[in-house]
Amino acid sequence: MPGTVIVGTQWGDEGKGKFTDLLSKEMSVVARYQGGHNAGHTLVVGEETFKLQLTPSGVLYDHIVPVIGNGVVVDPFVLLKEKEMLESRGISTRRLVVSGNAHLILPYHQQLDALHERHLGKSKLGTTKRGIGPAYADKSMRLGIRVQDLLDEDIFREKLHAALGHTNKILTKVFNRLAVDPDELADRVLSECLDGVGPHIGDSIDVIHTALEAGQHVLFEGAQATFLDLDHGTYPFVTSSNPIAGGACAGAGVGPKDLNRIIGIAKAYVTRVGSGPFPTELFDAVGDHLVDVGREFGTNTGRRRRTGWFDAVMLRHAARVNGLTEVALTKLDILDQLAEVKICVAYDIDGSRVEHMPYHQSELHRATPIYETMPGWQTDLSHVTEPDQLPDAAKAYLDRLQTEIGVPITLASTGPARSQFFHWS
Ligand code: IMP
C-alpha cells in the first residue's frame, strides 16, 4: 500500500513543498487532489526556486508522472502559463496528466468570486479571487464544465450555454454587470487553450492505480490545509474543497486502504491569510518578527500573513480528522532569535479549560490561548542536520510539541534548501 498523503495541518502555507521535494526520490506519481491555483507551492530544487500554483510539484522530477486529479479545479489559461514557464526553464511538462473529470475554472468564475467578496463587504472571506468557490459551486449545481468537455466542441459550447444561462442572470440582475457571450468565450478558450491542454487530458485513475498495483509509490499532494477544509475548517472562512487526507480518496479516486502514510505538515508557529478565527494570533513585535524573519507573504497573492504561536489544540484535531501517522515540522529556524517560545496547550473558553477543538465555532471565537512558555534557544539552527546538534532548549521544544500533539514528529526543517532538515523521532 504505497500511498502517501501530504496534508497541511493549520491554515495553509506550512511549507508542504519542502517535504514533497524530500519524498520525491521514492515517488513514481505525484497527484494533486483538490483546490486549484489558489495554492502556491514554493520548491527549491538545487539552486533554483520554483513557484507552482496548479501543476503538481512532481513535474520538476524526470522520473515522476505529475497528475492533476479529478478533484482539482483547473484554469486552463493558468495551466498553459505555468507550462510555458516550466518549459522556458528547461522542465519538460510532457508527462503531465490532467484528469478529464476535473472541472474548469473559467473567467466568469473569477468575476463572480470578486463580486461575491465585494458584496460581503466587512464580512468578506478574503478569498484569493481565483474563482475557486464559484467553480466548485457550479460543480455541485451540475452546471460545471469538465476538462474532458474541451475535447468535444459541440458539448463544450452546449455546456457553456447552459452554465451561462444561469450565471448571466446573476451577473446582470444581481450584480448589474454585462452578460458573458458563451460563443465568444468558447472561441477564446478553444483557440487559446485546446492545443496546449488537450494532449494532457487523460485517465488519471488508471495512471494512479497502475502505479499502485505495481507497488510503486504515489504521493497525494494536498493544497491549502485542514482548517481551510470546507467541512472541517473554520467555516465560512475556508476554501471550497476538502484538503484533509480523506479528500485524496474522492479527489484522486483511491480507497482509504490505498493510503498508508499520512504526513501532516505543521509550521513551528501558525500563519493564516484571509479572515476567520485565530486564537493564538499575535499583534505585537513577536508577530511582526515572525512575518519578517519567516517572510510571511503569500506566494500567490503577496498578502501579508497573520502570525501566531503554535497551537497544539489545532494539531490534535488535525491528527484526528486526517488520521496522521506522523508530523513534519517546518520553519523551526524562524524561532531562532526569540528569548522565549510559547505553545498553546489548551483554550480558556468562558473560564473553562478546553483541550480539544470546540465543536461549536462560536466557542472558538471566544477562546483565549493557555500557553506553556519555554526558553528560546537563541542559536542559529540553519546548519543542523542531526538532532544531536540541537541546543537543549530546541530539543525540549520539539519533545513538548510531540507530546502535546500525540503523533511522532519525524522530520523538522531549518531552512528552504533541500539539505536543511533533520530526522527527529
Ligand atoms: P479561496 O480558496 O480562494 O476561495 O479562499 C478561501 C480562503 O482560503 C481564504 O481565506 C484564502 O486566503 C484561503 N486560502 C486559499 N488558498 C490558500 C493557500 O494556498 N494558502 C493559504 N490560504 C489559502
Side-chain angles (χ1 to χ4, degrees):
M1 292 192 297
T4 299
V5 185
I6 280 203
V7 58
T9 57
Q10 294 155 330
W11 280 295
D13 309 312
E14 293 90 353
K16 296 180 277 291
K18 164 90 184 211
F19 289 98
T20 309
D21 177 49
L22 287 177
L23 290 170
S24 61
K25 261 194 250 115
E26 57 194 85
M27 298 298 158
S28 299
V29 174
V30 173
R32 273 198 58 182
Y33 56 88
Q34 46 69 232
H37 64 299
N38 49 346
H41 287 179
T42 304
L43 283 113
V44 181
V45 180
E47 299 293 295
E48 297 221 52
T49 300
F50 293 89
K51 291 182 191 239
L52 298 174
Q53 298 180 0
L54 182 58
T55 315
S57 50
V59 74
L60 302 177
Y61 310 90
D62 287 345
H63 66 284
I64 289 176
V65 178
V67 171
I68 293 184
N70 54 277
V72 175
V73 279
V74 178
D75 181 323
F77 297 99
V78 171
L79 185 64
L80 283 185
K81 235 167 122 192
E82 223 160 65
K83 203 177 135 175
E84 277 164 25
M85 178 275 288
L86 287 162
E87 295 283 351
S88 73
R89 293 179 66 181
I91 306 287
S92 168
T93 57
R94 203 175 28 85
R95 301 172 320 280
L96 175 68
V97 176
V98 183
S99 166
N101 287 350
H103 279 244
L104 289 174
I105 297 184
L106 291 170
Y108 56 87
H109 293 122
Q110 273 143 19
Q111 194 185 357
L112 281 175
D113 199 349
L115 288 166
H116 284 147
E117 281 287 90
R118 195 175 317 158
H119 175 74
L120 285 171
K122 272 211 241 117
S123 315
K124 73 174 184 182
L125 307 177
T127 74
T128 59
K129 300 201 179 111
R130 301 295 201 257
I132 306 295
Y136 279 117
D138 273 1
K139 176 178 176 178
S140 299
M141 298 255 290
R142 278 65 54 89
L143 283 173
I145 300 177
R146 294 193 291 178
V147 168
Q148 60 178 296
D149 297 329
L150 290 171
L151 298 174
D152 185 320
E153 183 172 342
D154 290 341
I155 290 184
F156 184 62
R157 284 185 191 277
E158 195 182 305
K159 291 197 172 180
L160 208 45
H161 272 271
L164 283 168
H166 172 85
T167 298
N168 275 336
K169 287 198 183 79
I170 298 172
L171 285 175
T172 56
K173 296 190 193 311
V174 177
F175 293 116
N176 203 21
R177 291 296 187 281
L178 294 175
V180 177
D181 183 315
D183 284 313
E184 260 175 41
L185 180 58
D187 290 345
R188 186 176 156 222
V189 174
L190 292 172
S191 66
E192 290 182 32
C193 303
L194 187 55
D195 285 353
V197 175
H200 297 286
I201 303 174
D203 180 352
S204 57
I205 304 290
D206 189 51
V207 172
I208 290 169
H209 282 277
T210 301
L212 288 171
E213 283 154 21
Q216 295 171 353
H217 289 266
V218 178
L219 181 68
F220 299 93
E221 187 180 30
Q224 293 85 47
T226 304
F227 288 88
L228 289 172
D229 185 280
L230 184 58
D231 289 83
H232 299 283
T234 46
Y235 192 91
F237 304 107
V238 293
T239 193
S240 296
S241 65
N242 289 114
I244 57 157
C249 293
V254 292
K257 70 179 173 51
D258 293 319
L259 310 175
N260 66 326
R261 196 175 170 199
I262 317 283
I263 308 174
I265 312 297
K267 222 180 252 190
Y269 49 99
V270 183
T271 62
R272 174 165 206 168
V273 264
S275 320
F278 183 170
T280 65
E281 184 165 12
L282 290 166
F283 300 97
D284 59 6
V286 176
D288 292 340
H289 178 82
L290 296 176
V291 172
D292 294 341
V293 182
R295 296 169 304 281
E296 294 297 351
F297 295 91
T299 313
N300 204 338
T301 57
R303 289 185 290 175
R304 186 185 202 273
R305 297 179 183 140
R306 301 156 64 192
T307 50
W309 291 115
F310 190 90
D311 186 338
V313 183
M314 285 178 77
L315 257 286
R316 285 195 284 271
H317 192 71
R320 281 180 160 178
V321 298
N322 290 295
L324 298 183
T325 57
E326 60 195 278
V327 167
L329 198 72
T330 58
K331 291 190 140 180
L332 184 61
D333 55 305
I334 305 304
L335 306 181
D336 282 356
Q337 295 161 40
L338 299 174
E340 55 182 32
V341 286
K342 294 187 183 185
I343 302 170
C344 168
V345 293
Y347 298 144
D348 181 315
I349 301 177
D350 305 331
S352 299
R353 183 184 170 97
V354 176
E355 298 196 343
H356 288 295
M357 190 50 68
Y359 192 66
H360 290 289
Q361 200 171 300
S362 57
E363 293 181 5
L364 187 65
H365 287 263
R366 298 199 302 278
T368 53
I370 298 175
Y371 287 120
E372 185 160 313
T373 302
M374 303 181 74
W377 41 94
Q378 298 189 286
T379 309
D380 176 8
L381 298 189
S382 62
H383 301 292
V384 171
T385 50
E386 297 291 333
D388 291 349
Q389 299 163 349
L390 285 172
D392 286 346
K395 285 183 187 160
Y397 180 69
L398 287 173
D399 276 339
R400 192 79 201 115
L401 287 189
Q402 186 164 267
T403 306
E404 285 297 327
I405 302 168
V407 170
I409 295 176
T410 51
L411 294 160
S413 81
T414 52
R418 196 178 261 183
S419 58
Q420 289 178 296
F421 78 97
F422 58 88
H423 290 279
W424 183 243
S425 61

